[in-house]
């Protein structure tokens, strides 16, 4: 079946099997391997993408359901800019990653958390990250990264 | 122009760039031309004979290109998976070492034991083929737990292993220990379980095998912590000579020990690629990982501490049952013995110690090293005993520790259990933690919690670990079948930039940054001009990989040594160019100079001369500026520290919340404080996971894995773990060139005992003296309900 998706800003038309998962379409068909698979029960969040701006676990969606919608993967955060997205920069600045495997999912989730606006405190962020598992960092620096990244993102929006 | 960034600085990590932009290259991302996909058929039974395998229905599935069984693997001349450590019984006789087939033959011995490998054009075809395969099993009685395995008349996993006993190992002076117990004023006792864990790095294991008939070369891409060792072991299994085998471990998404073994899946995938003459890819699902990754811990222990009338320790006696699972994994028998017994002295003066460990086979997944490996188990025993003794004698838990700690002045300190600590200051660590953690204010905070209806508890753990494994000679005496050195090559390019080839493996520890700092400082070259290469047996000379907090300790020391050699050769070249005697050449901050003059050459000048040797001492010196070093450690290093924890227990729900966490860890010289702090955070939370959440459970009757996914196995998540206050306290290692100790495992070693100490303290008014891990809400709620003493907050 045919789908038409705005993928990282570009229009993509593709033929997909009805059983194909969104995450497999992204990774295998589109070769955007920054979106990771860490589980088979939708518990880990490694596969998190933005769908029309909201974070979702792409292992819980069928590729078909992407039709007519806009998808952003980790690779798409730098599209149209010369530098890193503020949330990517914040993870780098605050040592919010170790092995890097959970990182794309964390950053996509973080972008969504930040785009909700409003001041972010540690408790809120920890709660909002509950669906993303990181085995390496102990979360402390991820939380710091999200708070810092949100500040930059929201400051940028206010300035616009 | 970049700058020199040296030891002690905290530059942001070089490796971040690719991970934060989604450009990492993990094994699951690899695609090769004409690639096929493999799926393992795994046993649904814990213990059974394999009576027949009918391949026809699987082969009939469209797209299936091959079905492979253990019998075919063996018939092809392939061997079984080797065990890397040979331990002995007390009497010196060898451990029982049954074969560990990559694909089970004859019998299966745990749920998830691989029985066959089905390969298809697509993953869907392979999956359908695997489902279609017919295996006839003959069910056998199951031994699912340690105590079942040890029971008289227990069913046997191996006909020639009586009592399911792999080895009955012992360490220490039994007679002296008995004598000390006989004259003790008091004996404290604890019986405890060290819960079984699943490592769960976020990246599931994966393997891609490839064979090139044109060159006879095999390549395996694997999620491995030690590609060269996999090459060595898999070469033995498959009979492939080393020069025809390349093993690549590209970006690896966390290891924690679980990826440091040679797994059957690696051998089978590579072998099948050779048979099919096309690349084969296998990627574990998470549920499959729960079944078939190596597990960690799983001890049952009885331990006693003998004390004199002043609360001074006289002796310790420890009897442990340790689970090996159904087969001996690469380091399986080494973990509960050599990495456990020698740590039982902890940070204390204990004149005599005796420890015996019964390593048992059970119908469960093989158990091997997992972050900390043996040392968290030892620390848990020692620290629970010390707490128990404090309770029994009515002493403060900090006071009993202070009274028995090895004083700083006593280092180097020889323990009664083999190891000699070169440096340390446990009391200094404890005092720093006590101040930072405001122990003095605890009583007030406890009263505050009580007003909110919560039980607040304070916990402490002081520990030492042995890491940076280990002098090869010493390891050999303990039964190691390999060496434990490390290698590094420093390649200075003609233009002065540097590529380092190192035998360790980076899967989150920040080596690309830390090692570059070492080179930047030693050679005086800009940090950005140094690249670190690892993880590919075709690029890197040799290496033992990353585990046991050895990378900086052993690998960093090899790197440091190679840098020394570069400087030495540079001096020879400089002496020629500057027409001076070699001993008059100094080297500092990237500049070779004639002492006491202004005549000098930069390292770039020297590198260029080495590769363009027009004016060069060719009679005495080879061109080029590339040096290699191997470093074999002279001792383990002994990081240690003190962890202080405060918890609040909600008596209504049994939920334990960690409300204050203070850690002070002595990791020797710190190369990059930001990275060390990150390692400490991650390690501590992994220990908290064991203490509060994680538990790998098999059904006692059927041997089925009950905690087989993230839905049933509770991983620590961001909202369940505390903000931690970590700090370092440095007594430099006496024998590593830079004074470094390891830091990757300390958090996981220090935290479980500290958390449980706090939980027990919170429940002390109910008469509780010990709680087994994990201190889950269910377990704690039951304890509170069943307590004989009324359950009001104090
Ligand atoms: S892979 Fe999607 S939640 Fe784990
Ligand atoms: S950085 Fe490794 S899992 Fe999060």
């Amino acid at each position: 079946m045919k789908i038409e998706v705005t993928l990282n800003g570009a229009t993509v038309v593709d033929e997909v099997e009805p059983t194909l998962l969104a995450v497999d379409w992204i990774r295998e068909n589109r070769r955007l391997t920054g979106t990771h698979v860490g589980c088979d029960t939708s518990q880990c969040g490694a596969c998190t993408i933005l769908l029309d701006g909201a974070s979702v676990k792409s292992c819980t969606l069928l590729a078909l359901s992407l039709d007519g919608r806009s998808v952003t993967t980790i690779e798409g955060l730098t599209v149209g800019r010369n530098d890193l997205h503020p949330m990517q920069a914040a993870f780098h600045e605050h040592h919010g990653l170790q092995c890097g495997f959970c990182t794309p999912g964390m950053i996509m989730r973080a972008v969504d958390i930040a785009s909700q606006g409003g001041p972010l405190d540690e408790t809120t962020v920890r709660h909002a990250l509950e669906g993303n598992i990181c085995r390496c960092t102990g979360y402390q620096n991820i939380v710091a990264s999200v708070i810092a990244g949100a500040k930059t993102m929201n400051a940028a929006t206010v300035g616009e | 122009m970049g700058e020199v960034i040296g030891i002690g600085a905290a530059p942001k990590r070089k490796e971040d760039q690719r991970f934060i932009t989604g450009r990492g290259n993990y094994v699951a991302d690899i695609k090769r031309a004409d690639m096929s996909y493999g799926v393992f058929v795994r046993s649904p039974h814990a213990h059974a004979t394999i009576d027949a395998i009918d391949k026809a229905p699987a082969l009939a599935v469209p797209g299936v290109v091959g079905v492979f069984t253990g019998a075919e693997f063996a018939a092809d001349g392939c061997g079984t998976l080797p065990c890397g450590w040979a331990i002995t019984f007390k009497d010196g006789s060898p451990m029982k070492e049954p074969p560990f087939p990559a694909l089970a033959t004859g019998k299966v011995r745990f749920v998830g034991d691989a029985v066959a490998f089905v390969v298809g054009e697509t993953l869907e075809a392979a999956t359908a083929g695997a489902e279609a395969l017919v295996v006839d099993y003959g069910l056998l009685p199951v031994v699912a737990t340690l105590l079942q395995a040890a029971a008289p008349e227990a069913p046997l996993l191996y006909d020639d292993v009586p009592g399911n006993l792999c080895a009955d190992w012992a360490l220490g002076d039994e007679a002296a220990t008995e004598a000390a117990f006989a004259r003790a004023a008091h004996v404290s006792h604890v019986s405890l379980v060290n819960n079984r864990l699943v490592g769960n790095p976020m990246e599931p294991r994966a393997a891609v095998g490839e064979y090139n008939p044109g060159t006879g070369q095999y390549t395996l891409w694997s999620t491995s912590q030690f590609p060269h060792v996999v090459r060595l072991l898999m070469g033995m299994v498959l009979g492939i000579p080393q020069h025809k085998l390349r093993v690549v471990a590209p970006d690896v998404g966390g290891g924690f020990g679980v990826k440091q073994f040679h797994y059957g899946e690696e051998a089978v995938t590579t072998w099948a690629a050779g048979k099919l003459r096309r690349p084969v890819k296998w990627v574990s699902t998470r549920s499959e990982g729960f079944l078939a990754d190596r597990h960690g811990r799983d001890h049952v222990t009885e331990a006693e501490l003998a004390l004199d009338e002043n609360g001074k320790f006289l002796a310790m006696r420890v009897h442990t049952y340790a689970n090996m699972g159904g087969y001996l994994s690469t380091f399986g028998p080494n973990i509960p013995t050599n990495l456990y017994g020698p740590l039982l002295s902890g940070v204390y003066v204990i004149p005599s110690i005796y420890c015996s460990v019964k390593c048992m086979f059970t119908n469960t997944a093989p158990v091997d090293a997992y972050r900390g490996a043996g040392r968290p188990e030892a620390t848990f025993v020692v620290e629970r005993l010390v707490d128990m003794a404090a309770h029994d004698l009515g002493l403060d838990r900090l006071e009993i520790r202070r009274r028995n700690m090895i004083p700083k002045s006593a280092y180097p300190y020889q323990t009664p259990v083999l190891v000699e600590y070169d440096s340390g200051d446990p009391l200094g660590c404890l005092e720093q933690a006590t101040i930072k953690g405001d122990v003095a204010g605890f009583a007030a905070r406890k009263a505050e919690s009580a007003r909110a209806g919560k039980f607040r508890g304070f916990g402490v753990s002081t520990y030492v670990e042995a890491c940076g494994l280990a002098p090869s000679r010493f390891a050999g005496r303990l039964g190691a079948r390999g060496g434990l050195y490390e290698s590094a090559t420093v390649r200075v390019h003609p233009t002065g930039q540097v590529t380092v080839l190192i035998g360790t493996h980076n899967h989150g520890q920040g080596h690309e940054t830390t090692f570059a700092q070492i080179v930047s400082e030693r050679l005086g070259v800009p940090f950005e001009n140094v690249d670190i290469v690892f993880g590919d047996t075709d690029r890197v000379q040799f290496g033992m990989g990353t585990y046991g907090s050895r990378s900086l300790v052993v690998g960093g020391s090899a790197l440091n040594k190679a840098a020394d050699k570069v400087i030495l050769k540079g001096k020879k070249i400089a002496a020629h160019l500057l027409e001076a005697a070699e001993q008059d050449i100094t080297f500092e901050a990237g500049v070779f100079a004639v002492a006491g003059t202004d005549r000098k050459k930069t390292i770039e000048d020297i590198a260029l001369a080495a590769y363009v040797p027009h004016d060069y001492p060719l009679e005495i010196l080879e061109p080029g500026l590339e040096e290699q070093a191997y470093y074999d450690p002279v001792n383990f290093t002994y990081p240690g520290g003190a962890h202080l924890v405060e918890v609040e227990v909600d008596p209504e729900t049994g939920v334990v919340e960690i409300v204050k966490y203070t850690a002070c860890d002595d990791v020797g010289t710190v190369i990059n404080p930001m990275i060390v702090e990150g390692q400490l955070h991650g390690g501590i939370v992994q220990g908290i996971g064991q203490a509060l959440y994680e538990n790998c459970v098999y059904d006692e009757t059927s041997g089925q894995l009950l905690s087989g996914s993230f839905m049933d196995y509770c991983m620590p998540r961001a909202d369940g773990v505390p903000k931690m206050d970590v700090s370092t306290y440095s007594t430099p290692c006496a024998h590593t060139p830079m004074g470094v100790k390891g830091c990757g495992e300390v958090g996981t070693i220090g935290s479980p005992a500290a958390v449980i100490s706090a939980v027990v303290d919170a429940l002390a008014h109910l008469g509780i003296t010990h709680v087994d891990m994990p201190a889950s809400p269910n377990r704690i709620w039951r304890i509170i309900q069943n307590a004989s003493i009324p359950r009001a907050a104090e």
Side-chain angles (χ1 to χ4, degrees), chain B residues 562-601:
Chain B
D564 282 341
K565 290 187 182 177
V566 166
I567 295 166
L568 197 68
K569 183 167 181 184
K571 282 185 174 174
K572 290 191 206 296
I573 302 169
H576 173 86
L577 293 177
L578 297 167
E579 295 174 344
E582 193 189 320
Q583 57 275 18
D584 292 339
I585 303 291
T586 60
F587 178 73
E588 216 193 304
V591 177
F592 295 88
V594 183
T597 75
D598 60 359
R599 286 184 296 143
K600 57 182 188 260
K601 292 279 178 193

Side-chain angles (χ1 to χ4, degrees), chain A residues 96-103 133-137 142, chain B residues 202 253-254:
Chain A
L97 62 149
Q98 290 185 17
C99 77
F101 194 80
C102 73
T103 310
I133 304 178
C134 174
R135 191 52 143 167
C136 299
T137 61
I142 292 181
Chain B
M202 290 319 297

Side-chain angles (χ1 to χ4, degrees), chain A residues 36-39 42-47 57 59:
Chain A
H36 295 152
V37 177
C39 72
S42 294
Q43 298 279 313
C44 76
C47 63
K57 294 180 175 179
C59 70

